[in-house]
Amino acid sequence: MASVLDIGVDLGTASVVIYGKGKGVVLNEPAVIAYDRDTRNVLAIGEEARRMLGRTPGNIVAIRPLGDGMIADFELVSAMLRYFVTKAVGKRLLSGPRVLISVPAGVNEVERHSIATSLFEAGARRTQLMERPIAAAIGAGLPIKETYGQMICDIGGGVTDIAVMSLGRIVVRETIKTGGDAFDDAIIRYIRRKHNLLVGPMTAEDLKINIGSALQRNDQFYMEVTGRNLISGLPRVMRITSDEVTEALDEPLHTLLEAIHGVLEHTPAELVADIFESGIVLSGGGAKLAGLCEAVAMSLKVDCFLAEEPQECVARGCGLTLENMSEYGQLLGDKRKHA
């Protein structure tokens, strides 16, 4: 892969996306790492590690080192970041890249400093932080620097960031621990409760992606899944319908809609009027759920739009900021240089 000098990084719960300045998205891989429990040796990272989820022997663990927007294991996060940055940038640069990174809201200041340190170890010469909703809004093409209210809802794997912005600043913000993983968990619980069948997270995700919808479909779809019968303990194949998946998603969707409604309730009236005209924009991988925009619009009586390539919005926003520092540079967080 060709080298790039400056990169924007979306360190998400479910995936890591890297945008190369002038090149677009150069890496998009699952935020999964597999390691030996006894020696702590890393065995696989990214897509290769994702295929190991739920399939490893006792001494090998395949996990997402970020959970619910918080760092569950910093050592593994650092190893994962170093691997992805090196893969995106290459090893033959004379000077390290500048890195603009957006991290989940649940990451505290100590962890942010540690992430910057791990990026320096990966070869970065300078790192800067950008708030996730601002990065997502820039990546979605919203004119956030105008004196006009803009609302974005970035639905990640572990958390959802909801924000109203004006003049390049966040006016009202709410972060909830409901995202794509919560959708998957709801499907697992529903199938277990209704069919006495235990399925894994990857099966639940396949159901969500292939036949899931926030609203009942006009045409019924179905998928056959294999799980463990909780009564007999034996493998069993079950046909799951799209209506069942929609029913399973009702609880986390209700939580999401209530959170968006709550942000609107705390937004100044003039900005609410702006949002009523411009609509709500959805970004993040979880926003790709079929019918979600329509469900938001029906519930809140406000137009809702899906950003282009929603999973890449945050990384794209970071990358576009690097490409247009004169326009967006003042929106960045603190700057850290390699000593």
Side-chain angles (χ1 to χ4, degrees), residues 44-283:
I45 299 175
E47 180 58 37
E48 183 182 356
R50 190 189 75 87
R51 292 195 293 268
M52 297 182 181
L53 287 171
R55 295 189 173 99
T56 58
N59 65 313
I60 297 176
V61 181
I63 64 166
R64 290 177 176 171
L66 285 95
D68 293 332
M70 295 179 290
I71 294 179
D73 190 311
F74 175 74
E75 183 181 342
L76 296 179
V77 169
S78 297
M80 185 175 68
L81 261 180
R82 287 194 296 271
Y83 172 81
F84 285 142
V85 169
T86 301
K87 184 175 181 180
V89 174
K91 299 180 179 179
R92 293 175 293 179
L93 291 178
L94 294 177
S95 60
R98 292 185 304 167
V99 179
L100 178 54
I101 185 169
S102 179
V103 298
V107 176
N108 61 41
E109 182 57 32
V110 173
E111 291 171 330
R112 287 169 184 247
H113 178 76
S114 298
I115 286 171
T117 301
S118 70
L119 287 169
F120 293 144
E121 292 174 357
R125 73 177 186 274
R126 184 175 68 180
T127 65
Q128 288 175 276
L129 302 174
M130 190 169 209
E131 292 195 79
R132 196 174 189 85
I134 293 178
I138 294 172
L142 299 184
I144 63 170
K145 294 185 68 179
E146 295 184 4
T147 313
Y148 193 83
Q150 304 282 347
M151 186 172 193
I152 191 154
C153 180
D154 185 70
I155 307 171
V159 299
T160 293
D161 260 316
I162 308 160
V164 174
M165 288 163 284
S166 179
L167 290 172
R169 302 297 178 189
I170 295 174
V171 180
V172 184
R173 178 180 184 176
E174 176 70 22
T175 301
I176 60 170
K177 292 182 179 180
T178 297
D181 292 346
F183 295 163
D184 299 342
D185 291 342
I187 293 171
I188 292 172
R189 292 195 305 271
Y190 179 90
I191 295 174
R192 179 171 186 160
R193 183 175 65 251
K194 183 172 181 179
H195 298 294
N196 286 315
L197 187 73
L198 181 63
V199 298
M202 292 182 68
T203 298
E205 185 178 24
D206 287 342
L207 285 167
K208 177 185 66 180
I209 292 171
N210 292 308
I211 66 172
S213 176
L215 298 172
Q216 295 289 343
R217 297 177 181 268
N218 293 328
D219 299 320
Q220 184 82 287
F221 296 91
Y222 70 89
M223 271 184 62
E224 290 189 344
V225 300
T226 303
R228 186 175 78 242
N229 188 305
L230 293 173
I231 298 175
S232 68
L234 300 175
R236 180 186 175 192
V237 177
M238 172 70 65
R239 175 178 290 191
I240 304 297
T241 68
S242 55
D243 282 352
E244 288 180 304
V245 178
T246 299
E247 185 179 346
L249 293 172
D250 183 69
E251 182 179 340
L253 285 175
H254 179 75
T255 301
L256 176 63
L257 292 172
E258 284 291 309
I260 299 174
H261 184 248
V263 169
L264 286 172
E265 282 187 325
H266 290 89
T267 299
E270 293 297 333
L271 296 182
V272 170
D274 294 339
I275 293 166
F276 185 78
E277 291 184 8
S278 62
I280 300 169
V281 176
L282 303 184
S283 65

